[in-house]
Amino acid sequence: MKNFLFWLPFSLALLSLETIAQIRVEGRVFDKINNQPVLFATVQIRDASLGAVTDTNGYYSFEIEKPGIYTFLVRSVGYKLLTKFEFEINTRADVSLDFYLEKDQQTLNEVVVKAQGFNKTEESPLSLRTIGVAEIRRAPGGNRDISKVIQNLPGVASTPSFRNDVIIRGGAPSENRFFLDDVEIPNINHFATQGSSGGPVGILNVNLISEVDYFASAFPVSRGNSLSSVFNFKLKDPERKKIKGSFLLGSSDAAISLDGPLSEKTGFLFSLRRSYLQFLFTALKLPFLPTYNDAQFKITHQINDKNKIHFIGIGAIDDFVLNLKANDGLEDSSLIARNNYALGNIPVNNQRNYTLGMVYTHFNASSFQKIIVSRSFLNNTAQKYFMNDRSVASNLLYDYNSSEHENKLRFESLKAFNKVKVLYGFGAKHLLYTNQTFNKQ
């Protein structure tokens, strides 16, 4: 009896752990055109007997045993098969996942079952490639940096290991266009080269990304004026039940992410990162100390079944300062000479950039309209003083300050007529560039 009482708490603990080990996956299935719920659609995990059928409101729910990487298959009569490749579930809490199906207008003469390796669209049937988060995380040498993973794609030229320039089939890095949930962002890297899109470290936090669509050619009509490539980064949908958080310590930075509801119809995503490279460079006695910070957010609000709106923001603060104590304690003359050369020629550089955007979507029976408003800002400053002495104003040798402002408005409307889709719209933008340079010879 004593042995039974001794082992009883442990047995109950193991039983409770087994009970909470189940992870609930739930969400809704919608029509991509009119945002109406899709009834009796099948949501299934590939190569597993797990899944569920949506109810009369489009909701589904089922349980899985453990976190992992799963591929979801979503089917419904009259709709195209949707494959959500390698969706990562890295928590034991409930997961919310919505799906949008596209109608299939073909006549059903016979049923042919076949494997499909890629998602295809009418706009880009050959050049579209979708990159899942799991692929980004496990890419060799990627360090969870989307820009570095992109460099491994077919048709992308190799660049130096310390640069994230995206060169598609010989095009310049400035010829690529980047969209974050339909909002265009001019740059996706820290310490960006002005007039380009490259830099040593990416700004986007992969914890908030669900997938990336990469177009190497045959760009969608809504992405006009594109030259080399188009990247569409899709953010996750916020969790609907409770706020979740995560902390990540990487090889060069630390990040915190939050995700959850603000109200019954409103949810948010938030991420904040800061580098600690400056401490490593100080220990290595390097003559320069880079520090980068970035933040991202997304707020979604479902006004009703026919109207929804979301706001996004992304920004970075990058500082590049000199380590004037780099030679303290050094005895190697070659290292001292190297540091002296760098300290005598490298300017102090600071960069600030952000993009804020709003996307409003209105759904009709067989069409939808979008209004996208955004503002982007980039500021670059660089200063160099003689002997790095800022105490004397006449020591100023070089002073550079430039700013770029972009304000954009875009309207899109898509109308479906059986097998034909009509997409039209218009856009307007206001660009302002200022530059002030002082150079003392």
Side-chain angles (χ1 to χ4, degrees), residues 42 71 94 105 147 228-229 303 317 380 405 427 430:
T42 301
T71 295
D94 295 347
Q105 305 293 345
S147 299
S228 289
S229 68
I303 303 173
I317 299 176
N380 265 319
H405 307 257
H430 174 261

Side-chain angles (χ1 to χ4, degrees), residues 339-355:
N339 289 345
N340 286 336
Y341 179 82
L343 292 172
N345 291 275
I346 298 177
V348 173
N349 180 267
N350 299 302
Q351 189 174 97
R352 308 285 186 265
N353 72 80
Y354 68 82
T355 296

Side-chain angles (χ1 to χ4, degrees), residues 57-86:
N57 294 315
Y59 286 99
Y60 74 91
S61 175
F62 62 93
E63 294 181 342
I64 58 177
E65 293 183 357
K66 59 183 180 180
I69 298 174
Y70 299 93
T71 295
F72 291 83
L73 303 177
V74 186
R75 301 181 179 90
S76 183
V77 176
Y79 290 88
K80 296 179 181 179
L81 170 66
L82 174 64
T83 305
K84 182 78 170 181
F85 290 100
E86 297 185 332

Side-chain angles (χ1 to χ4, degrees), residues 88 90 133 136-138 142-146 201-209 236 244-258 270-276 292 294 296:
E88 184 176 34
N90 55 10
V133 173
I136 296 173
R137 293 180 187 273
R138 66 170 181 258
N143 193 27
R144 302 166 60 89
D145 191 332
I146 296 175
V201 183
I203 293 178
L204 296 171
N205 187 347
V206 70
N207 287 344
L208 303 188
I209 302 293
K236 299 190 304 183
K244 300 177 182 178
S246 64
F247 176 78
L248 176 66
L249 186 64
S251 60
S252 59
D253 54 46
I256 183 172
S257 303
L258 296 175
F270 176 76
S271 167
L272 184 65
R273 291 195 304 179
R274 179 174 174 83
S275 70
Y276 51 81
Y292 61 85
D294 61 58
Q296 289 176 243

Side-chain angles (χ1 to χ4, degrees), residues 57-338:
N57 294 315
Y59 286 99
Y60 74 91
S61 175
F62 62 93
E63 294 181 342
I64 58 177
E65 293 183 357
K66 59 183 180 180
I69 298 174
Y70 299 93
T71 295
F72 291 83
L73 303 177
V74 186
R75 301 181 179 90
S76 183
V77 176
Y79 290 88
K80 296 179 181 179
L81 170 66
L82 174 64
T83 305
K84 182 78 170 181
F85 290 100
E86 297 185 332
F87 184 84
E88 184 176 34
I89 297 177
N90 55 10
T91 175
R92 288 196 173 276
D94 295 347
V95 176
S96 299
L97 186 58
D98 294 338
F99 299 99
Y100 291 84
L101 296 182
E102 188 174 356
K103 287 186 177 180
D104 189 356
Q105 305 293 345
Q106 298 180 1
T107 304
L108 298 178
N109 295 323
E110 59 180 345
V111 177
V112 178
V113 180
K114 61 180 181 180
Q116 184 177 357
F118 301 93
N119 288 328
K120 294 184 178 180
T121 63
E122 292 86 350
E123 296 87 350
S124 299
L126 300 177
S127 66
L128 170 62
R129 174 169 178 174
T130 300
I131 308 168
V133 173
E135 183 177 352
I136 296 173
R137 293 180 187 273
R138 66 170 181 258
N143 193 27
R144 302 166 60 89
D145 191 332
I146 296 175
S147 299
K148 293 187 183 299
V149 176
I150 290 172
Q151 292 181 325
N152 296 325
L153 297 177
V156 183
S158 60
T159 59
S161 58
F162 58 88
R163 295 287 302 177
N164 282 350
D165 298 287
V166 178
I167 301 175
I168 309 292
R169 297 190 177 93
S174 59
E175 295 177 358
N176 305 299
R177 299 184 69 189
F178 307 100
F179 293 84
L180 185 64
D181 273 2
D182 292 323
V183 175
E184 185 170 5
I185 53 178
N187 176 54
I188 60 172
N189 289 292
H190 290 284
F191 300 105
T193 302
Q194 194 163 355
S196 179
S197 60
V201 183
I203 293 178
L204 296 171
N205 187 347
V206 70
N207 287 344
L208 303 188
I209 302 293
S210 63
E211 61 185 17
V212 182
D213 288 339
Y214 161 52
F215 299 87
S217 61
F219 309 120
V221 66
S222 60
R223 303 293 184 255
N225 299 323
S226 301
L227 296 176
S228 289
S229 68
V230 171
F231 291 88
N232 189 25
F233 302 95
K234 299 178 181 178
L235 294 173
K236 299 190 304 183
D237 291 323
E239 291 291 334
R240 284 191 287 265
K241 287 192 173 181
K242 61 181 180 180
I243 295 178
K244 300 177 182 178
S246 64
F247 176 78
L248 176 66
L249 186 64
S251 60
S252 59
D253 54 46
I256 183 172
S257 303
L258 296 175
D259 174 14
L262 294 175
S263 67
E264 183 179 353
K265 295 185 176 182
T266 307
F268 80 98
L269 301 171
F270 176 76
S271 167
L272 184 65
R273 291 195 304 179
R274 179 174 174 83
S275 70
Y276 51 81
L277 281 176
Q278 62 275 21
F279 305 114
L280 176 62
F281 282 33
T282 300
L284 295 175
K285 297 295 185 179
L286 294 178
F288 48 85
L289 304 175
T291 304
Y292 61 85
N293 309 266
D294 61 58
Q296 289 176 243
F297 75 85
K298 176 182 179 181
I299 299 175
T300 64
H301 179 65
Q302 187 73 39
I303 303 173
N304 50 46
D305 290 341
K306 294 296 184 181
N307 300 276
K308 67 178 182 179
I309 189 171
H310 70 257
F311 303 88
I312 71 162
I314 181 171
I317 299 176
D318 304 327
D319 296 317
F320 189 93
V321 299
L322 298 178
N323 182 12
L324 300 180
K325 298 181 180 180
N327 289 330
D328 292 354
L330 286 181
E331 298 180 358
D332 191 330
S333 59
S334 61
L335 292 180
I336 294 175
R338 179 204 67 182

Side-chain angles (χ1 to χ4, degrees), residues 371-385:
I371 299 176
I372 303 101
V373 181
S374 66
R375 172 177 171 79
S376 298
F377 172 76
L378 171 66
N379 177 251
N380 265 319
T381 63
Q383 289 182 333
K384 184 61 183 176
Y385 284 81

